[in-house]
Amino acid sequence: MHAMLKRAAEIRGVAMTDFVVAAVQEAAQRTIAEAEVIRLSLADSERFAAAILSPPPRRVPQSRPVASASRSGRPRAP
């Protein structure tokens, strides 16, 4: 394994330590991207964009009627 790393570093023209650090950084970036980036098919991308650009109408919850002060037994404010 050591010989393979040394040879790869020589091909790139860098020290073996620099080669290993660069390879580890690339692997870390790839790992993070795979965990955090969502990849969609073209059809899914189009559906997502359509939903963002034209969201469905917002449903407003219907409020319950509030009891009037006279019916609740409390005096009305002047």
Side-chain angles (χ1 to χ4, degrees):
M1 165 106 83
H2 185 282
M4 180 175 61
L5 294 175
K6 185 176 178 184
R7 176 70 179 130
E10 288 172 355
I11 290 170
R12 289 219 178 148
V14 297
M16 190 168 73
T17 303
D18 294 337
F19 177 81
V20 171
V21 169
V24 170
Q25 286 176 332
E26 290 171 17
Q29 289 173 341
R30 192 171 44 251
T31 300
I32 292 168
E34 288 171 0
E36 294 181 350
V37 175
I38 298 172
R39 300 192 192 283
L40 300 175
S41 68
L42 179 59
D44 289 337
S45 297
E46 290 170 348
R47 280 194 291 274
F48 179 76
I52 295 294
L53 296 174
S54 301
R58 212 173 146 195
R59 293 177 46 182
V60 179
Q62 295 189 3
S63 60
R64 292 183 283 165
V66 178
S68 67
S70 63
R71 288 179 51 201
S72 67
R74 292 177 294 188
R76 288 184 178 219

